[in-house]
Amino acid sequence: MTLLILMPGKENSELLKALKTLNPNLDIRIWPEVGDVNDISFAIVWNHPKGELKNYPNLKVIASFGAGVDHIFKDPDLPKNIAITKLVDDSLSGQMCEYVAGVILNQRLRLTEYREYQAASVWAPKAFKSGNNVSLLGLGHIGKEVAEYLVQLNFKVSGWSQSKKDIKNVTTFYGQSALKQAVHDADYIVCLLPLTPKTENILNKSLFSMAKKGAYLINAGRGGQLNEDDLLDALSEEKLSGACLDVFKVEPLPKEHPFWCHPKIYITPHSASMTNIKKAASQFYDNYLNMKNGETLFHQIDPDREY
Ligand code: OXD
């Protein structure tokens, strides 16, 4: 039972070392040096070439190297009836808590604004920005932690998800028809949704028109959730006051993209929350053993929902 690391363009040596530390006898292949394709039963995957996964007749588990699995479902030739797992790790959610809080506090404390004043040697003290209502779109493992973190920081938090969720001190909404209620009063709209056919382009003109004038958008879900032209319009019409984007339709963000030099857009390079290799390796290894022993896998996703 061989494990395949299928992550073109990613540095694999640290993951290989971490897996070998857990079990020096593990048979691990690194794509494209796969050897006999019949050996492969467990694949660790990130942005694999489309169609590649159908080449392994004995593949039983596809394990995403990240919390998101949309990169797997992008493959039109994805073989059916193979378990797909995602990474669920407190360090992923912990980083996201700090990222979202950091971006909101940066806005609230006007730190970027002061940096601009500093460049012009302007002394212009102002009160913190008012408004502490945060609406979180996406209340999965990461979204829930972020909601709880923001509550601790005294933000008034509401959340929206596809299915019903209850989180202490968070007003929750679910289902398409409740989207307006979820965002209408928000000073900050934060998207942490998984990318699925239902959430593609969800950050669009219609949602921006439901929001309070001057709301600030943070997208750390997926670039495919944002209608980029609608965002540019919402910013120029001052419907939204600004946006901080960590994820993009095309990554790396192309050099000529208008977001790069937009004065109201803050860009981070898909760095809000990054996989911790040692923790990931031990989660992959545990699931490899579960697969081998015919036991239930951790963090298996529902292929019908795609998350
Ligand atoms: C993830 C990511 O899915 O980094 O974990 O985007």
Side-chain angles (χ1 to χ4, degrees), residues 46 66-68 92 222 270 273 275:
W46 190 255
L92 283 176
R222 283 291 183 259
H270 201 146
S273 165
T275 301

Side-chain angles (χ1 to χ4, degrees), residues 96-97 99-105 107-108 130-139 143 145-160 167 169-173 179 181-192 212 215-219:
M96 192 59 88
C97 289
Y99 178 86
V100 173
V103 173
I104 294 177
L105 290 174
Q107 279 307 303
R108 213 169 136 64
S130 59
N132 72 341
N133 294 353
V134 183
S135 173
L136 278 174
L137 308 180
L139 296 174
E145 299 256 321
V146 173
E148 289 168 344
Y149 192 81
L150 293 173
V151 166
Q152 278 176 31
L153 294 177
N154 287 331
F155 285 97
K156 189 169 160 237
V157 184
S158 65
W160 179 85
I167 306 173
N169 296 324
V170 175
T171 312
T172 55
F173 301 92
L179 200 49
Q181 276 170 289
V183 300
H184 85 282
D185 202 22
D187 301 294
Y188 300 92
I189 299 173
V190 183
C191 177
L192 298 176
K212 178 153 114 184
Y216 188 89
L217 176 72
I218 300 171
N219 188 17

Side-chain angles (χ1 to χ4, degrees), residues 220-258:
R222 283 291 183 259
Q225 283 150 350
L226 175 67
N227 182 313
E228 299 187 341
D229 289 338
D230 288 359
L231 172 64
L232 292 172
D233 288 347
L235 291 171
S236 67
E237 289 158 12
E238 297 185 350
K239 183 81 210 126
L240 296 179
S241 57
C244 177
L245 309 173
D246 185 55
V247 286
F248 302 89
K249 280 202 161 60
V250 179
E251 292 180 8
L253 186 65
K255 286 251 177 297
E256 62 287 357
H257 199 288

Side-chain angles (χ1 to χ4, degrees), residues 67 86-90 92-93 96-97 136-148 159-167 170 172-173 190-194 299 305 307:
K86 63 178 174 181
L87 269 187
V88 175
D89 169 2
D90 287 348
L92 283 176
S93 33
M96 192 59 88
C97 289
L136 278 174
L137 308 180
L139 296 174
H141 181 80
I142 295 180
K144 176 174 182 287
E145 299 256 321
V146 173
E148 289 168 344
W160 179 85
S161 50
Q162 303 279 355
S163 54
K164 190 170 177 349
K165 300 273 163 66
D166 289 313
I167 306 173
V170 175
T172 55
F173 301 92
V190 183
C191 177
L192 298 176
L193 286 161
H299 314 309
R305 292 193 311 179
Y307 66 95

Side-chain angles (χ1 to χ4, degrees), residues 47-151:
N47 289 332
H48 67 282
K50 313 269 173 304
E52 177 61 21
L53 288 164
K54 70 175 186 317
N55 297 332
Y56 304 94
N58 298 316
L59 187 61
K60 293 194 176 57
V61 178
I62 299 171
S64 171
F65 184 69
V69 290
D70 50 294
H71 60 105
I72 297 173
F73 284 99
K74 262 193 219 156
D75 185 346
D77 289 320
L78 185 66
K80 303 265 176 274
N81 304 322
I82 296 185
I84 299 176
T85 62
K86 63 178 174 181
L87 269 187
V88 175
D89 169 2
D90 287 348
S91 82
L92 283 176
S93 33
Q95 290 172 71
M96 192 59 88
C97 289
E98 292 186 42
Y99 178 86
V100 173
V103 173
I104 294 177
L105 290 174
N106 178 41
Q107 279 307 303
R108 213 169 136 64
L109 274 61
R110 305 177 186 273
L111 299 182
T112 306
E113 212 175 308
Y114 285 135
R115 182 78 208 164
E116 282 158 19
Y117 290 154
Q118 182 180 342
S121 311
V122 171
W123 181 269
K126 293 181 180 179
F128 287 178
K129 269 194 188 144
S130 59
N132 72 341
N133 294 353
V134 183
S135 173
L136 278 174
L137 308 180
L139 296 174
H141 181 80
I142 295 180
K144 176 174 182 287
E145 299 256 321
V146 173
E148 289 168 344
Y149 192 81
L150 293 173
V151 166

